[in-house]
């Protein structure tokens, strides 16, 4: 079994201790380090090479948004970053997702949900809390009749279909079932559309889809 290495970044010692206890009790997950400030996160990422960083978004000094940007700029193969927050409707969370964080996790989540979130984001398979991400993006969307940046990216019809289903939080396997495609074919479409959009991952692609008006909550089943 491949071990998922996790770095915890949170200014509250009690939160770090709780997350460590939850994650170290899981098969295939190990906490390899902790930081109490975003200022120390980049150095620990470089030295410990974690697969996933659980990043508190609101910290004194260097907050999670600045730390996320520093990691994504300063590491050749950056880890997945999972923002940890108290409130999902948080501008800091949204800006961290726009900057390249891969998803977010609520501090009130149950232990099983925390472990599953780490596994999902490590695999890069699907969005976390897709409905909440949709609301965050849609609330700030600058509607464009032509789909804006997404339309200009020149997606094929099939890539557009895949992006719309990604926006609903469907995994590659679920998208394949819906479109009658093999999982590998879906992965190829996802990789292609990410490249055309200049998006680091699925989360950034979905945010672009909502901000441009290419996808709307009323159109995706909300």
């Amino acid at each position: 079994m491949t071990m998922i290495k996790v770095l915890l970044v949170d200014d509250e010692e009690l939160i770090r201790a709780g997350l460590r206890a939850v994650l170290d009790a899981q098969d295939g997950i190990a906490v390899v380090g902790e930081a109490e400030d975003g200022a120390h996160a980049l150095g620990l990422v470089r030295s410990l090479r974690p697969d996933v960083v659980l990043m508190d978004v609101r910290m004194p000094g260097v907050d999670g948004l600045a730390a996320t940007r520093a990691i994504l700029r300063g590491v050749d193969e950056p880890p997945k970053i999972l923002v940890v927050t108290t409130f999902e409707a948080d501008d800091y969370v949204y800006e961290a997702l726009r900057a390249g964080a891969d998803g977010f996790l609520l501090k009130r989540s149950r232990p099983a949900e925390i472990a599953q979130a780490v596994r999902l984001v490590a695999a890069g398979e699907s969005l976390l809390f897709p409905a909440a991400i949709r609301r965050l993006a849609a609330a700030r969307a600058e509607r464009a009749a032509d789909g804006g940046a997404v339309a200009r990216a020149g997606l094929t019809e099939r890539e557009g279909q895949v992006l719309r289903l990604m926006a609903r939080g469907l995994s590659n396997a679920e998208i394949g079932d819906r479109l009658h495609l093999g999982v590998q074919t879906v992965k190829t479409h996802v990789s292609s559309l990410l490249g055309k959009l200049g998006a680091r991952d699925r989360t950034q692609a979905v945010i672009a889809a909502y901000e441009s008006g290419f996808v709307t909550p009323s159109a995706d089943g909300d």
Side-chain angles (χ1 to χ4, degrees):
M1 176 185 295
T2 301
M3 186 67 68
I4 299 172
K5 298 183 294 183
V6 178
L7 172 67
L8 306 177
V9 184
D10 196 298
D11 64 310
E12 295 186 42
E13 184 177 357
L14 184 61
I15 296 295
R16 296 198 311 272
L19 289 172
R20 176 181 281 275
V22 167
L23 295 174
D24 279 345
Q26 303 294 318
D27 291 336
I29 300 177
V31 175
V32 295
E34 299 181 20
E36 61 183 18
D37 188 288
H40 301 114
L42 178 57
L44 287 176
V45 167
R46 286 174 170 165
S47 62
L48 299 174
R49 305 302 298 180
D51 302 298
V52 178
V53 176
L54 295 192
M55 178 77 73
D56 185 19
V57 71
R58 291 182 177 272
M59 294 179 288
V62 178
D63 62 23
L65 174 57
T68 294
R69 288 172 172 159
I71 290 169
L72 296 178
R73 287 196 307 263
V75 180
D76 290 337
E77 295 183 8
K80 301 292 185 180
I81 298 177
L82 192 56
V83 174
V84 182
T85 181
T86 303
F87 305 106
E88 62 187 41
D90 189 327
D91 286 339
Y92 276 78
V93 171
Y94 183 71
E95 291 304 322
L97 294 173
R98 290 191 72 193
D102 299 277
F104 70 93
L105 179 67
L106 298 177
K107 288 187 177 181
R108 64 177 180 270
S109 299
R110 296 190 299 269
E113 293 173 333
I114 295 171
Q116 179 68 356
V118 168
R119 291 190 172 99
L120 283 173
V121 79
E125 178 61 21
S126 64
L127 296 172
L128 301 172
F129 303 103
I133 292 176
R134 290 201 297 270
R135 289 194 296 272
L136 285 166
R140 297 160 177 80
E142 298 176 1
R143 301 297 181 208
D146 63 353
V150 175
R152 292 192 295 273
L155 302 186
T156 65
E157 181 179 357
R158 182 64 85 187
E159 289 166 351
Q161 293 173 333
V162 170
L163 179 56
R164 288 187 173 93
L165 293 175
M166 285 170 53
R168 296 177 62 179
L170 273 64
S171 67
N172 288 339
E174 291 167 335
I175 292 171
D177 288 343
R178 189 70 60 89
L179 298 179
H180 307 292
L181 300 172
V183 172
Q184 188 57 51
T185 300
V186 174
K187 288 181 178 180
T188 298
H189 287 310
V190 171
S191 178
S192 177
L193 71 87
L194 291 181
K196 290 180 179 180
L197 292 172
R200 175 176 179 259
D201 54 29
R202 299 163 74 97
T203 301
Q204 285 195 313
V206 168
I207 287 175
Y210 279 102
E211 288 192 333
S212 67
F214 182 76
V215 176
T216 64
S218 60
D220 71 9
D222 276 359

